Amino acid sequence: AAAAPAPAAPAAAPAQGGGGMMSGLMGSMMSGMASGVGMSVANRAVDAVMGPRQTEVVHRHEGAPSAPASAPTCQFQQDQLTQCMQAGKDCQFYQDALKACQQQQ
C-alpha cells in the first residue's frame, strides 16, 4: 500500500503588526490634520461669539536716529558672552551684563 501524501501546510498569515514607517507617518499626519481642523473650527466659534480679533503692530524707534554701526558700545560684553557660550558654561552673569549695558544706551 502506498503511503498517503502528507497534508499541505497552511499558508502563513500576514503579520498583524505595524505597517512599517509609512503607516505610522500617515497616521501622525492624519491626526495632525484633524487637530488643525479642530483648532480652526474652535477659533471660528470664538470669533463668532466674541467678534473678530484685531491686531495692532507698533513700531518702536521708527523715527529715532540709528546708532553708529562702526562703534558698538556693548561689544566687550557681547564678546564675553559669546566666548562663554562657546565654552558651554553657565553664562547668566555675562548675559545680565550685556542686558544692563544695552539698557544704559
Side-chain angles (χ1 to χ4, degrees):
Q16 295 295 324
M21 184 176 76
M22 289 306 286
S23 69
L25 179 65
M26 292 301 288
S28 295
M29 192 168 87
M30 293 302 289
S31 174
M33 289 170 66
S35 296
V37 169
M39 291 294 283
S40 176
V41 169
N43 283 334
R44 289 291 181 124
V46 169
D47 286 346
V49 172
M50 302 189 68
R53 290 173 239 164
Q54 297 177 354
T55 58
E56 180 179 338
V57 179
V58 177
H59 295 281
R60 294 184 183 173
H61 311 297
E62 192 170 278
S66 61
S70 60
T73 57
C74 299
Q75 187 62 45
F76 177 74
Q77 288 84 353
Q78 179 66 45
D79 292 341
Q80 292 292 319
L81 178 61
T82 303
Q83 288 176 1
C84 179
M85 291 176 70
Q86 288 174 346
K89 299 179 182 176
D90 180 28
C91 304
Q92 188 63 44
F93 171 76
Y94 297 110
Q95 188 175 5
D96 292 341
L98 177 61
K99 204 176 287 185
C101 177
Q102 291 171 340
Q103 290 176 350
Q104 289 176 358
Q105 293 181 1

Coordinates of all heavy atoms in Angstrom, one line a residue:
A1 N 0.8 -1.2 0.0 CA 0.0 0.0 0.0 C 0.9 1.2 0.0 O 1.8 1.3 0.8 CB -0.9 0.0 1.2
A2 N 0.5 2.1 -0.8 CA 1.2 3.4 -1.0 C 0.9 4.3 0.2 O -0.3 4.4 0.6 CB 0.9 4.0 -2.3
A3 N 1.9 5.0 0.6 CA 1.6 6.0 1.8 C 0.9 7.2 1.2 O 1.1 7.7 0.1 CB 3.0 6.4 2.3
A4 N -0.1 7.6 2.0 CA -0.9 8.8 1.6 C 0.0 10.1 1.7 O 0.8 10.2 2.6 CB -2.1 9.0 2.6
P5 N -0.2 11.0 0.7 CA 0.6 12.2 0.8 C 0.3 13.0 2.0 O -0.8 13.1 2.5 CB 0.2 12.9 -0.5 CG -1.1 12.3 -0.9 CD -1.2 11.0 -0.3
A6 N 1.3 13.7 2.5 CA 1.2 14.5 3.7 C 0.3 15.7 3.4 O 0.4 16.2 2.3 CB 2.5 14.9 4.2
P7 N -0.6 16.1 4.3 CA -1.4 17.3 4.1 C -0.5 18.5 3.9 O 0.5 18.7 4.5 CB -2.3 17.4 5.3 CG -1.6 16.6 6.4 CD -0.8 15.5 5.7
A8 N -1.0 19.4 3.0 CA -0.2 20.6 2.7 C -0.2 21.5 4.0 O -1.2 21.6 4.6 CB -0.8 21.3 1.5
A9 N 0.9 22.2 4.2 CA 1.0 23.1 5.4 C 0.1 24.3 5.0 O 0.1 24.8 3.9 CB 2.4 23.5 5.6
P10 N -0.6 24.9 6.0 CA -1.4 26.1 5.8 C -0.6 27.2 5.4 O 0.6 27.4 5.9 CB -2.2 26.3 7.1 CG -1.4 25.5 8.1 CD -0.7 24.4 7.4
A11 N -1.1 28.1 4.6 CA -0.3 29.3 4.2 C -0.1 30.2 5.4 O -1.0 30.3 6.2 CB -1.1 30.1 3.1
A12 N 1.0 30.9 5.5 CA 1.3 31.7 6.6 C 0.4 33.0 6.5 O 0.3 33.6 5.5 CB 2.8 32.1 6.6
A13 N -0.1 33.3 7.6 CA -1.0 34.6 7.7 C -0.1 35.8 7.7 O 1.0 35.8 8.3 CB -1.9 34.5 8.9
P14 N -0.5 36.9 7.0 CA 0.3 38.1 7.1 C 0.4 38.6 8.5 O -0.5 38.5 9.3 CB -0.4 39.1 6.2 CG -1.8 38.5 6.0 CD -1.7 37.0 6.3
A15 N 1.6 39.2 8.8 CA 1.8 39.7 10.1 C 0.8 40.8 10.4 O 0.5 41.7 9.6 CB 3.2 40.3 10.2
Q16 N 0.3 40.8 11.6 CA -0.7 41.8 12.0 C -0.1 43.0 12.7 O -0.8 43.9 13.1 CB -1.7 41.2 13.0 CG -2.5 40.0 12.4 CD -3.5 40.5 11.4 OE1 -4.0 41.6 11.4 NE2 -3.6 39.7 10.3
G17 N 1.2 43.1 12.8 CA 1.9 44.2 13.4 C 1.8 45.4 12.6 O 1.0 45.5 11.7
G18 N 2.7 46.4 12.9 CA 2.6 47.7 12.2 C 2.9 47.6 10.8 O 3.5 46.6 10.3
G19 N 2.4 48.5 10.0 CA 2.6 48.5 8.6 C 3.9 49.2 8.1 O 4.0 49.6 7.0
G20 N 4.8 49.4 9.0 CA 6.0 50.0 8.6 C 6.0 51.5 8.9 O 5.1 52.0 9.5
M21 N 7.1 52.1 8.5 CA 7.2 53.5 8.8 C 6.2 54.4 8.1 O 5.7 55.4 8.7 CB 8.6 54.0 8.3 CG 8.9 55.4 8.6 SD 10.6 55.9 8.2 CE 10.4 56.1 6.4
M22 N 5.8 54.1 6.9 CA 4.8 54.9 6.2 C 3.4 54.9 6.9 O 2.8 55.9 6.9 CB 4.7 54.5 4.7 CG 5.9 54.9 3.9 SD 6.4 56.6 4.1 CE 5.2 57.3 3.0
S23 N 3.0 53.8 7.4 CA 1.7 53.8 8.1 C 1.7 54.6 9.3 O 0.7 55.3 9.6 CB 1.3 52.3 8.4 OG 2.1 51.8 9.4
G24 N 2.8 54.6 10.1 CA 2.9 55.5 11.3 C 2.9 56.9 10.9 O 2.3 57.8 11.5
L25 N 3.6 57.2 9.8 CA 3.8 58.6 9.4 C 2.4 59.1 8.9 O 2.0 60.2 9.2 CB 4.8 58.7 8.2 CG 5.0 60.0 7.6 CD1 5.6 61.0 8.6 CD2 5.9 59.9 6.4
M26 N 1.7 58.3 8.1 CA 0.4 58.7 7.6 C -0.6 58.9 8.8 O -1.4 59.8 8.8 CB -0.2 57.7 6.6 CG 0.6 57.6 5.3 SD 0.7 59.2 4.5 CE -1.0 59.3 3.9
G27 N -0.5 58.0 9.8 CA -1.4 58.1 10.9 C -1.1 59.4 11.7 O -2.1 60.1 12.1
S28 N 0.1 59.7 11.9 CA 0.5 61.0 12.5 C 0.0 62.2 11.7 O -0.4 63.2 12.3 CB 2.0 61.1 12.7 OG 2.4 60.1 13.6
M29 N 0.2 62.1 10.4 CA -0.2 63.2 9.6 C -1.7 63.4 9.6 O -2.2 64.6 9.7 CB 0.2 63.0 8.1 CG 0.1 64.2 7.2 SD 0.9 64.0 5.6 CE -0.4 63.2 4.7
M30 N -2.5 62.4 9.6 CA -3.9 62.5 9.7 C -4.4 63.0 11.0 O -5.3 63.9 11.1 CB -4.6 61.1 9.4 CG -4.4 60.6 8.0 SD -5.0 61.7 6.7 CE -6.8 61.5 7.0
S31 N -3.7 62.6 12.1 CA -4.0 63.1 13.4 C -3.7 64.6 13.5 O -4.5 65.4 14.0 CB -3.2 62.4 14.4 OG -3.4 62.9 15.7
G32 N -2.6 65.0 12.9 CA -2.2 66.5 12.9 C -3.2 67.3 12.1 O -3.6 68.4 12.5
M33 N -3.7 66.7 11.0 CA -4.6 67.5 10.1 C -6.0 67.6 10.9 O -6.6 68.6 10.8 CB -4.8 66.7 8.8 CG -3.6 66.9 7.9 SD -3.7 65.8 6.4 CE -5.0 66.5 5.6
A34 N -6.4 66.5 11.6 CA -7.6 66.6 12.3 C -7.5 67.6 13.5 O -8.4 68.4 13.7 CB -7.9 65.2 12.9
S35 N -6.4 67.7 14.1 CA -6.2 68.7 15.2 C -6.2 70.1 14.6 O -6.8 71.0 15.2 CB -4.8 68.4 15.9 OG -4.8 67.2 16.5
G36 N -5.6 70.3 13.5 CA -5.6 71.6 12.8 C -7.0 72.0 12.5 O -7.4 73.2 12.7
V37 N -7.8 71.1 11.9 CA -9.2 71.4 11.6 C -10.0 71.7 12.8 O -10.7 72.7 12.9 CB -9.8 70.3 10.8 CG1 -11.3 70.5 10.6 CG2 -9.1 70.1 9.4
G38 N -9.8 71.0 13.9 CA -10.5 71.2 15.1 C -10.1 72.6 15.7 O -11.0 73.3 16.2
M39 N -8.8 73.0 15.7 CA -8.4 74.3 16.2 C -9.1 75.4 15.3 O -9.5 76.4 15.8 CB -6.9 74.4 16.2 CG -6.2 73.5 17.2 SD -6.6 74.0 18.9 CE -5.6 75.4 19.1
S40 N -9.1 75.2 14.0 CA -9.7 76.2 13.1 C -11.2 76.4 13.4 O -11.6 77.5 13.5 CB -9.5 75.8 11.7 OG -10.1 76.7 10.8
V41 N -11.9 75.3 13.6 CA -13.3 75.4 14.0 C -13.5 76.1 15.3 O -14.4 76.9 15.5 CB -13.9 74.0 13.9 CG1 -15.3 74.0 14.5 CG2 -13.9 73.4 12.5
A42 N -12.6 75.8 16.3 CA -12.7 76.4 17.6 C -12.5 77.9 17.5 O -13.2 78.7 18.1 CB -11.8 75.7 18.6
N43 N -11.5 78.3 16.7 CA -11.2 79.7 16.5 C -12.3 80.4 15.9 O -12.7 81.6 16.3 CB -9.9 79.9 15.7 CG -8.7 79.6 16.5 OD1 -8.6 79.8 17.7 ND2 -7.6 79.3 15.8
R44 N -13.0 79.8 14.9 CA -14.1 80.4 14.3 C -15.3 80.6 15.2 O -16.0 81.6 15.2 CB -14.6 79.6 13.1 CG -13.7 79.6 11.9 CD -13.7 81.0 11.3 NE -12.8 81.1 10.1 CZ -13.2 81.4 8.9 NH1 -14.5 81.8 8.7 NH2 -12.4 81.5 7.9
A45 N -15.5 79.6 16.1 CA -16.6 79.6 17.1 C -16.3 80.8 18.1 O -17.2 81.5 18.4 CB -16.7 78.3 17.8
V46 N -15.1 80.9 18.5 CA -14.8 82.0 19.4 C -15.0 83.4 18.7 O -15.5 84.3 19.3 CB -13.3 81.9 19.9 CG1 -12.9 83.2 20.7 CG2 -13.2 80.7 20.9
D47 N -14.6 83.5 17.5 CA -14.8 84.7 16.7 C -16.2 85.0 16.6 O -16.7 86.2 16.6 CB -14.1 84.6 15.4 CG -12.6 84.8 15.5 OD1 -12.1 85.2 16.5 OD2 -11.9 84.5 14.5
A48 N -17.0 84.0 16.4 CA -18.5 84.2 16.2 C -19.1 84.7 17.5 O -20.0 85.6 17.4 CB -19.1 82.9 15.8
V49 N -18.7 84.3 18.6 CA -19.2 84.7 19.9 C -18.7 86.0 20.3 O -19.4 86.9 20.7 CB -19.0 83.6 21.0 CG1 -19.4 84.1 22.3 CG2 -19.7 82.3 20.6
M50 N -17.4 86.2 20.2 CA -16.8 87.4 20.8 C -16.4 88.5 19.8 O -15.9 89.5 20.1 CB -15.5 87.0 21.5 CG -15.8 86.0 22.7 SD -14.4 85.7 23.7 CE -14.2 87.3 24.5
G51 N -16.6 88.2 18.5 CA -16.3 89.2 17.5 C -14.9 88.9 17.0 O -14.1 88.2 17.6
P52 N -14.6 89.4 15.8 CA -13.2 89.1 15.2 C -12.1 89.8 16.0 O -12.3 90.8 16.6 CB -13.3 89.7 13.8 CG -14.4 90.6 13.8 CD -15.4 90.2 14.9
R53 N -11.0 89.1 16.0 CA -9.8 89.7 16.7 C -9.1 90.7 15.9 O -9.1 90.6 14.6 CB -8.9 88.6 17.1 CG -9.4 87.6 18.1 CD -8.5 86.5 18.3 NE -9.3 85.3 18.0 CZ -8.9 84.1 17.7 NH1 -7.6 83.9 17.7 NH2 -9.7 83.1 17.5
Q54 N -8.6 91.7 16.5 CA -7.8 92.7 15.8 C -6.4 92.8 16.4 O -6.2 92.7 17.6 CB -8.5 94.1 15.9 CG -9.9 94.2 15.3 CD -10.5 95.5 15.6 OE1 -10.0 96.4 16.3 NE2 -11.7 95.7 15.0
T55 N -5.4 92.9 15.5 CA -4.1 93.0 15.9 C -3.5 94.4 15.5 O -3.9 94.9 14.5 CB -3.2 91.9 15.3 OG1 -3.2 92.0 13.9 CG2 -3.6 90.6 15.8
E56 N -2.7 94.9 16.3 CA -2.1 96.2 16.0 C -0.6 96.1 16.1 O 0.0 95.6 17.1 CB -2.6 97.3 17.0 CG -2.0 98.7 16.8 CD -2.6 99.6 17.8 OE1 -3.6 99.4 18.4 OE2 -1.9 100.7 18.0
V57 N 0.1 96.6 15.1 CA 1.6 96.5 15.1 C 2.1 97.9 15.5 O 1.8 98.9 14.9 CB 2.1 96.1 13.7 CG1 3.6 96.1 13.7 CG2 1.5 94.8 13.3
V58 N 3.0 97.9 16.5 CA 3.6 99.1 17.0 C 5.1 99.0 16.7 O 5.7 98.1 17.1 CB 3.3 99.3 18.5 CG1 4.0 100.5 19.0 CG2 1.9 99.3 18.8
H59 N 5.6 100.0 15.9 CA 7.0 100.0 15.6 C 7.7 101.0 16.6 O 7.4 102.2 16.6 CB 7.2 100.5 14.2 CG 6.6 99.6 13.1 ND1 7.3 98.5 12.8 CD2 5.5 99.6 12.4 CE1 6.6 97.8 11.9 NE2 5.4 98.5 11.7
R60 N 8.6 100.5 17.3 CA 9.4 101.3 18.2 C 10.6 101.8 17.4 O 11.1 101.2 16.4 CB 9.9 100.5 19.4 CG 8.8 100.1 20.3 CD 9.4 99.4 21.5 NE 8.4 98.9 22.3 CZ 8.6 98.1 23.4 NH1 9.9 97.8 23.7 NH2 7.6 97.7 24.1
H61 N 11.2 102.9 17.8 CA 12.4 103.5 17.2 C 12.2 103.8 15.7 O 13.1 103.8 14.9 CB 13.6 102.6 17.3 CG 13.8 102.1 18.7 ND1 14.0 102.9 19.8 CD2 13.7 100.8 19.2 CE1 14.2 102.2 20.9 NE2 14.0 100.9 20.6
E62 N 11.0 104.1 15.3 CA 10.7 104.4 13.9 C 11.4 105.6 13.4 O 12.0 105.7 12.4 CB 9.2 104.4 13.7 CG 8.8 104.4 12.2 CD 7.3 104.2 12.0 OE1 6.9 103.0 12.1 OE2 6.7 105.2 11.8
G63 N 11.3 106.7 14.2 CA 11.8 108.0 13.8 C 13.2 108.3 14.5 O 13.8 109.3 14.3
A64 N 13.6 107.3 15.3 CA 14.9 107.6 16.1 C 16.1 107.4 15.1 O 16.1 106.6 14.2 CB 15.0 106.6 17.2
P65 N 17.1 108.2 15.4 CA 18.3 108.1 14.5 C 19.0 106.7 14.8 O 19.0 106.2 16.0 CB 19.2 109.2 15.0 CG 18.7 109.6 16.4 CD 17.3 109.2 16.4
S66 N 19.5 106.1 13.8 CA 20.2 104.8 14.0 C 21.5 105.0 14.7 O 22.2 106.0 14.5 CB 20.4 104.1 12.7 OG 21.2 104.9 11.8
A67 N 21.8 104.0 15.5 CA 23.1 104.0 16.2 C 24.3 103.8 15.3 O 24.1 103.1 14.3 CB 23.1 102.9 17.3
P68 N 25.4 104.4 15.5 CA 26.5 104.2 14.6 C 27.0 102.8 14.6 O 27.2 102.2 15.7 CB 27.6 105.2 15.2 CG 27.2 105.4 16.6 CD 25.7 105.3 16.6
A69 N 27.1 102.2 13.5 CA 27.4 100.8 13.4 C 28.9 100.6 13.6 O 29.4 99.5 13.8 CB 27.0 100.2 12.0
S70 N 29.7 101.6 13.4 CA 31.2 101.5 13.5 C 31.7 101.3 14.9 O 32.7 100.6 15.1 CB 31.9 102.7 12.9 OG 31.5 103.8 13.6
A71 N 31.0 101.8 15.9 CA 31.5 101.7 17.3 C 30.4 101.2 18.2 O 29.8 102.0 19.0 CB 32.0 103.1 17.7
P72 N 30.1 99.9 18.3 CA 29.1 99.4 19.2 C 29.6 99.5 20.6 O 30.7 99.1 20.9 CB 28.8 98.0 18.8 CG 30.0 97.6 18.0 CD 30.6 98.9 17.4
T73 N 28.8 100.1 21.5 CA 29.3 100.4 22.9 C 29.3 99.1 23.7 O 30.0 99.1 24.7 CB 28.4 101.4 23.5 OG1 27.0 101.0 23.5 CG2 28.5 102.8 22.8
C74 N 28.5 98.1 23.4 CA 28.5 96.9 24.3 C 29.2 95.7 23.6 O 29.0 94.6 23.9 CB 27.0 96.5 24.5 SG 26.1 97.8 25.4
Q75 N 30.2 96.0 22.8 CA 30.9 95.0 22.0 C 31.7 94.1 23.0 O 31.7 92.9 22.8 CB 31.8 95.6 21.0 CG 32.5 94.6 20.1 CD 31.5 93.8 19.3 OE1 30.6 94.3 18.7 NE2 31.6 92.5 19.2
F76 N 32.3 94.7 24.0 CA 33.1 93.9 25.0 C 32.2 92.9 25.7 O 32.5 91.7 25.8 CB 33.7 94.8 26.0 CG 34.5 94.1 27.1 CD1 35.7 93.5 26.8 CD2 34.0 93.9 28.4 CE1 36.4 92.7 27.8 CE2 34.6 93.2 29.3 CZ 35.9 92.6 29.0
Q77 N 31.0 93.3 26.2 CA 30.1 92.4 26.8 C 29.6 91.3 25.9 O 29.4 90.1 26.3 CB 28.9 93.2 27.4 CG 29.3 94.0 28.6 CD 29.8 95.4 28.3 OE1 30.1 95.7 27.1 NE2 30.0 96.2 29.3
Q78 N 29.3 91.7 24.6 CA 28.9 90.7 23.6 C 30.0 89.7 23.4 O 29.7 88.5 23.3 CB 28.5 91.4 22.3 CG 28.1 90.5 21.2 CD 26.8 89.8 21.5 OE1 25.8 90.5 22.0 NE2 26.7 88.5 21.3
D79 N 31.2 90.1 23.3 CA 32.3 89.2 23.1 C 32.5 88.2 24.3 O 32.7 87.0 24.1 CB 33.6 89.9 22.8 CG 33.6 90.7 21.5 OD1 32.8 90.3 20.6 OD2 34.5 91.6 21.4
Q80 N 32.3 88.7 25.5 CA 32.5 87.9 26.7 C 31.4 86.8 26.7 O 31.6 85.7 27.0 CB 32.4 88.8 27.9 CG 33.6 89.7 28.1 CD 34.8 88.9 28.4 OE1 34.8 87.9 29.2 NE2 35.9 89.3 27.8
L81 N 30.1 87.2 26.4 CA 29.0 86.3 26.3 C 29.2 85.2 25.3 O 29.0 84.1 25.5 CB 27.7 87.1 26.1 CG 26.4 86.2 26.0 CD1 26.2 85.4 27.3 CD2 25.2 87.0 25.6
T82 N 29.7 85.7 24.1 CA 29.9 84.7 23.0 C 31.0 83.7 23.4 O 30.8 82.5 23.2 CB 30.4 85.4 21.7 OG1 29.4 86.4 21.4 CG2 30.6 84.5 20.6
Q83 N 32.1 84.1 24.0 CA 33.1 83.2 24.4 C 32.6 82.2 25.5 O 33.0 81.0 25.4 CB 34.3 84.0 25.0 CG 35.1 84.7 23.9 CD 36.2 85.6 24.5 OE1 36.4 85.6 25.7 NE2 37.0 86.3 23.7
C84 N 31.8 82.7 26.4 CA 31.3 81.9 27.5 C 30.4 80.8 26.9 O 30.4 79.6 27.2 CB 30.5 82.7 28.5 SG 29.8 81.7 29.8
M85 N 29.5 81.2 25.9 CA 28.6 80.3 25.3 C 29.3 79.2 24.5 O 28.9 78.1 24.5 CB 27.6 81.0 24.5 CG 26.6 81.9 25.3 SD 25.5 82.8 24.3 CE 24.4 81.6 23.6
Q86 N 30.4 79.6 23.8 CA 31.2 78.6 23.1 C 31.9 77.6 24.0 O 32.1 76.5 23.6 CB 32.2 79.4 22.2 CG 31.6 80.1 21.0 CD 32.5 80.9 20.2 OE1 33.7 81.2 20.7 NE2 32.1 81.4 19.0
A87 N 32.2 78.1 25.2 CA 32.8 77.2 26.2 C 31.8 76.2 26.8 O 32.1 75.2 27.4 CB 33.5 78.0 27.2
G88 N 30.5 76.5 26.6 CA 29.4 75.7 27.1 C 29.2 75.8 28.6 O 28.8 74.8 29.3
K89 N 29.5 77.0 29.1 CA 29.3 77.2 30.6 C 28.0 77.9 30.9 O 27.3 78.3 30.0 CB 30.5 78.0 31.1 CG 31.9 77.4 30.9 CD 33.0 78.3 31.4 CE 34.3 77.6 31.2 NZ 35.4 78.5 31.6
D90 N 27.8 78.1 32.2 CA 26.6 78.9 32.6 C 27.0 80.4 32.4 O 27.9 80.9 33.1 CB 26.3 78.6 34.1 CG 25.1 79.4 34.5 OD1 24.2 79.8 33.7 OD2 25.0 79.7 35.7
C91 N 26.3 81.1 31.5 CA 26.7 82.4 31.1 C 25.7 83.5 31.6 O 25.6 84.5 31.0 CB 26.8 82.5 29.6 SG 28.0 81.2 29.0
Q92 N 24.9 83.2 32.7 CA 23.9 84.2 33.1 C 24.6 85.5 33.5 O 24.0 86.6 33.2 CB 23.2 83.6 34.3 CG 22.0 84.4 34.7 CD 20.9 84.5 33.6 OE1 20.6 83.5 33.0 NE2 20.4 85.7 33.4
F93 N 25.7 85.5 34.1 CA 26.4 86.7 34.5 C 26.7 87.6 33.3 O 26.4 88.8 33.3 CB 27.7 86.4 35.3 CG 28.6 87.6 35.5 CD1 28.2 88.5 36.5 CD2 29.7 87.9 34.8 CE1 29.0 89.6 36.8 CE2 30.4 89.0 35.0 CZ 30.1 89.9 36.0
Y94 N 27.2 87.0 32.2 CA 27.6 87.8 31.0 C 26.3 88.3 30.3 O 26.3 89.3 29.7 CB 28.4 86.9 30.1 CG 29.8 86.6 30.7 CD1 30.0 85.3 31.1 CD2 30.7 87.5 30.9 CE1 31.3 84.9 31.7 CE2 31.9 87.2 31.5 CZ 32.2 85.9 31.9 OH 33.4 85.6 32.5
Q95 N 25.3 87.4 30.3 CA 24.0 87.8 29.7 C 23.4 89.0 30.5 O 22.9 90.0 29.8 CB 23.1 86.7 29.7 CG 21.8 86.9 28.9 CD 20.9 85.7 28.9 OE1 21.2 84.6 29.5 NE2 19.8 85.8 28.1
D96 N 23.5 89.0 31.8 CA 23.0 90.1 32.6 C 23.8 91.4 32.3 O 23.2 92.5 32.2 CB 23.0 89.8 34.1 CG 21.9 88.7 34.4 OD1 21.0 88.5 33.6 OD2 22.1 88.1 35.5
A97 N 25.1 91.2 32.2 CA 26.0 92.4 31.9 C 25.7 93.0 30.6 O 25.6 94.3 30.4 CB 27.4 92.0 32.0
L98 N 25.4 92.2 29.6 CA 25.1 92.7 28.3 C 23.8 93.4 28.3 O 23.6 94.5 27.7 CB 25.1 91.6 27.2 CG 24.7 92.0 25.8 CD1 25.7 93.0 25.2 CD2 24.7 90.7 24.9
K99 N 22.8 92.8 29.0 CA 21.5 93.4 29.0 C 21.5 94.8 29.7 O 20.9 95.7 29.3 CB 20.5 92.5 29.8 CG 19.1 92.7 29.4 CD 18.2 91.6 30.1 CE 18.3 90.3 29.5 NZ 17.4 89.3 30.0
A100 N 22.3 94.9 30.8 CA 22.5 96.1 31.5 C 23.1 97.2 30.7 O 22.7 98.4 30.7 CB 23.3 95.9 32.8
C101 N 24.1 96.8 29.9 CA 24.8 97.7 29.0 C 23.8 98.2 27.9 O 23.8 99.4 27.7 CB 26.0 97.1 28.3 SG 26.9 98.1 27.2
Q102 N 23.0 97.3 27.4 CA 22.1 97.8 26.3 C 21.0 98.7 26.9 O 20.5 99.6 26.2 CB 21.5 96.5 25.7 CG 22.5 95.7 24.8 CD 21.9 94.4 24.4 OE1 21.0 93.9 24.9 NE2 22.5 93.9 23.3
Q103 N 20.6 98.5 28.1 CA 19.6 99.3 28.7 C 20.1 100.7 29.1 O 19.3 101.7 29.2 CB 19.0 98.7 30.0 CG 18.1 97.5 29.6 CD 17.6 96.7 30.8 OE1 18.1 97.0 32.0 NE2 16.7 95.8 30.6
Q104 N 21.4 100.9 29.2 CA 22.0 102.2 29.6 C 22.1 103.1 28.4 O 22.2 104.3 28.5 CB 23.4 102.0 30.1 CG 23.4 101.4 31.5 CD 24.8 101.1 32.1 OE1 25.8 101.4 31.4 NE2 24.9 100.7 33.3
Q105 N 21.9 102.5 27.2 CA 22.0 103.3 26.0 C 20.8 104.1 25.7 O 19.7 103.8 26.0 CB 22.3 102.5 24.8 CG 23.6 101.8 24.8 CD 23.9 101.0 23.6 OE1 23.1 100.9 22.7 NE2 25.1 100.4 23.6

